Amino acid sequence: GMVNQSILLYQEALRMWNSNDDSMDYISDAPQEKLDSLSANDLENIIKVYIALGRSFATAHRGQGSVAAYQDALTVLSLAKASDDLHDRSIIFPIFNGLFVAVRFGQIQQDEDCSYEQKLIAQFVVETRLHGDPVHYAGALAMQSEMYGRLGMFEEAIASFEILDSFYDPEQHTAGLCAAHGSDRAAE
């Protein structure tokens, strides 16, 4: 159907950036020189295509494809020099949300300490704090506090909650949190 056609289109778009090397499927496989040559605008577009690919895979109930797309997006983001020049870092937030959902549905294997999830959410908290929008930061801190509580790391959960509690205002933030995450995680 349409979702499968979308997946093919997004995959082809990602291959386009590697048009001079058929041995690589995606830009995340590119040599460092190619990643270094990306402008901030190119990087933003690549990240948006990876996010669309991840969402399409998720819609098609193809979890491993979704996880791979989101993880490739993080790889490109971490390796490309232009990542420091992104003007609106909020474009990367759907990557974290997509991977968080994949973790919750067991599509990502974790160790007993849930190290992958802890690292992912810690990175999300840092990115949202740097972005400066309290709505996104509140959502990330709520996610972190919930995770720590679930893992029995109660002191860390309380510390995250206290940061959240220092600025969270339901009247100001609930609508934005619901729009960004589908619910107000900070109020839960």
Side-chain angles (χ1 to χ4, degrees), residues 4-153:
N4 289 327
Q5 292 298 321
S6 295
I7 289 169
L8 293 173
L9 178 68
Y10 298 137
Q11 289 173 326
E12 184 59 32
L14 291 168
R15 284 186 193 102
M16 168 183 81
W17 275 288
N18 286 325
S19 59
N20 52 350
D21 188 344
D22 293 333
S23 69
M24 295 179 290
D25 282 337
Y26 299 129
I27 191 74
S28 60
D29 300 323
Q32 188 64 45
E33 302 82 48
K34 182 145 189 150
L35 294 171
D36 289 346
S37 72
L38 296 173
S39 69
N41 190 49
D42 288 339
L43 179 60
E44 182 175 328
N45 289 329
I46 289 167
I47 296 299
K48 286 178 180 180
V49 173
Y50 269 118
I51 290 168
L53 178 61
R55 286 179 174 158
S56 294
F57 272 126
T59 300
H61 304 288
R62 294 167 59 186
Q64 292 308 311
S66 179
V67 168
Y70 290 131
Q71 287 179 328
D72 282 353
L74 283 181
T75 298
V76 170
L77 188 68
S78 70
L79 295 176
K81 286 183 179 178
S83 65
D84 293 337
D85 300 328
L86 287 176
H87 299 291
D88 180 7
R89 298 194 68 82
S90 70
I91 66 152
I92 68 173
F93 297 166
I95 299 168
F96 294 101
N97 285 318
L99 288 171
F100 184 69
V101 168
V103 165
R104 302 296 279 182
F105 282 106
Q107 297 168 337
I108 297 174
Q109 295 293 328
Q110 294 200 79
D111 59 23
E112 65 182 35
D113 295 328
C114 298
S115 300
Y116 179 89
E117 183 179 9
Q118 288 188 55
K119 181 181 172 191
L120 179 72
I121 293 175
Q123 187 178 358
F124 188 36
V125 169
V126 168
E127 289 290 348
T128 58
R129 188 182 71 239
L130 291 173
H131 178 64
D133 184 333
V135 168
H136 294 296
Y137 189 41
L141 285 168
M143 190 183 293
Q144 186 176 55
S145 183
E146 181 277 328
M147 175 202 62
Y148 282 143
R150 186 171 32 81
L151 296 176
M153 301 170 71

Side-chain angles (χ1 to χ4, degrees), residues 155-168:
E155 289 180 24
E156 292 86 346
I158 290 168
S160 293
F161 177 78
E162 286 176 346
I163 296 169
L164 173 64
D165 192 46
S166 72
F167 69 88
Y168 172 74

